[in-house]
Amino acid sequence: MEETPPPGCSKPHLEKLTLGITRILESSPGVTEVTIIEKPPAERHMISSWEQKNNCVLPEDVKNFYLMTNGFHMTWSVKLDEHTIPLGSMAINSISKLTQLNQSSMYSLPNAPTLADLEDDALEASENQPEKPHFDSRSVIFELDPCNGNGKVCLVYKRGKPALAQDTEIWFLDRALYWHFLTDTFTAYYRLLITHLGLPQWQYAFTSYGISPQAKQWFNMYKPVTYNTDLLAEETNSFVNKLDPSKVFKSKNKTLIPKKKGPVQPAGGQKGPPAPPSTSKSSSSPGNPVRK
């Protein structure tokens, strides 16, 4: 399905924004309703106001993104048995919704715990992993993508306030409030977002426990255009069904040719007389014709 560009927006602009991924989706079996909710560019004064309000300097690639579009939301669905199921979702919050991760009480009760109370310095990063963000004043964390409730992708300033652009990284906070490193820059994260097609729970492919079995089924049908696709098949051959999209979404409007009833074969392992030439193949077991 071709998305309709809003007034004043050209098709090349959408192609640049989505890196041409819409053509891949629209040519995939069963995919329908590929839509982009495009937004006008953010004004420069909006970016300056955000930086002054939060005492943080946005990285240049984040500024350039908001100067192109004030947020991003692209979705696509699949059609199964005449039912349309929303599947893929790619989102980046607008500058006004780029808000700091809530550090207030988790419950509206006196002396309720805060996110900072969950800090455990015993779980620091190893030599091969960067230092994880902190919920207290050591880090400043802003939400980029709510991930449809599966976690949060965050823009993290690692040195607290005043926060500098060179101190930013992109991290994924899962539902159990564990941190997982994604990329050093927003540009690299945006490419991951697009090339993973917005598949459900794709961020969990960058965690030690991986994505759920249900999500792996979708991954095997619509393989991400990225480097870690092989990680899906290696450990899941034993319990994930291999689905062929061309067969799942094949057209059901086929003309069935009535077959003549032949003589009933007696039960047993003996071979009958050779069958006359026919355009259709006989089944290996009586009574179960194979449809072409």
Side-chain angles (χ1 to χ4, degrees), residues 105-181:
S105 295
M106 298 171 67
Y107 309 97
S108 57
L109 297 173
N111 301 322
T114 64
L115 289 175
D117 295 326
L118 301 175
E119 283 296 325
D120 186 1
D121 291 332
L123 298 175
E124 288 298 330
S126 62
E127 295 181 357
N128 298 328
Q129 296 292 330
E131 180 184 359
K132 68 179 181 65
H134 299 280
F135 291 116
D136 55 24
S137 59
R138 286 175 288 179
S139 302
V140 188
I141 305 166
F142 297 93
E143 180 183 314
L144 279 172
D145 181 2
C147 304
N148 286 336
N150 292 316
K152 295 179 185 296
V153 172
C154 299
L155 174 68
V156 178
Y157 290 83
K158 301 293 289 291
R159 300 292 178 264
K161 294 183 179 182
L164 304 177
Q166 61 266 27
D167 294 331
T168 58
E169 293 173 347
I170 308 297
W171 286 72
F172 175 59
L173 180 66
D174 66 21
R175 295 184 64 181
L177 299 181
Y178 285 102
W179 288 105
H180 309 275
F181 176 77

Side-chain angles (χ1 to χ4, degrees), residues 192-253:
L192 283 181
L193 173 68
I194 295 296
T195 55
H196 278 85
L197 309 178
L199 286 164
Q201 305 175 17
W202 71 264
Q203 296 88 354
Y204 283 87
F206 294 86
T207 67
S208 59
Y209 31 86
I211 59 178
S212 67
Q214 181 182 5
K216 285 175 183 175
Q217 297 283 12
W218 294 116
F219 268 66
N220 282 316
M221 292 184 65
Y222 302 103
K223 294 186 182 296
V225 191
T226 186
Y227 62 86
N228 69 332
T229 307
D230 294 338
L231 298 178
L232 300 172
E234 291 178 359
E235 55 183 282
T236 60
N237 285 334
S238 59
F239 62 92
V240 173
N241 295 327
K242 298 292 185 180
L243 300 179
D244 186 352
S246 62
K247 295 181 179 180
V248 173
F249 300 107
K250 64 182 179 181
S251 175
K252 297 182 179 179
N253 297 326

Side-chain angles (χ1 to χ4, degrees), residues 37-108:
I37 304 175
E38 189 171 345
K39 304 176 183 179
E43 300 290 340
R44 289 188 179 272
H45 70 83
M46 297 171 63
I47 297 176
S48 300
S49 298
W50 185 94
E51 292 179 325
Q52 293 176 6
K53 175 183 177 182
N54 294 283
N55 198 15
C56 298
V57 179
L58 281 175
E60 285 300 317
D61 55 356
V62 179
K63 289 182 182 179
N64 292 335
F65 173 81
Y66 282 123
L67 291 173
M68 180 184 296
T69 174
N70 189 11
F72 175 68
H73 193 197
M74 179 176 177
T75 60
W76 55 279
S77 304
V78 294
K79 195 168 186 180
L80 292 172
D81 295 330
E82 306 302 324
H83 297 285
T84 300
I85 304 173
L87 186 64
S89 177
M90 293 161 264
I92 299 291
N93 285 338
S94 63
I95 188 72
S96 62
K97 293 184 179 180
L98 187 63
T99 55
Q100 190 169 349
L101 202 64
N102 189 10
Q103 295 183 6
S104 63
S105 295
M106 298 171 67
Y107 309 97
S108 57

Side-chain angles (χ1 to χ4, degrees), residues 259 262-265 280-292:
K259 296 184 178 181
V264 179
Q265 295 276 346
S280 61
K281 295 181 180 180
S282 299
S283 172
S284 58
S285 59
N288 292 319
V290 177
R291 294 183 179 179
K292 292 287 286 182

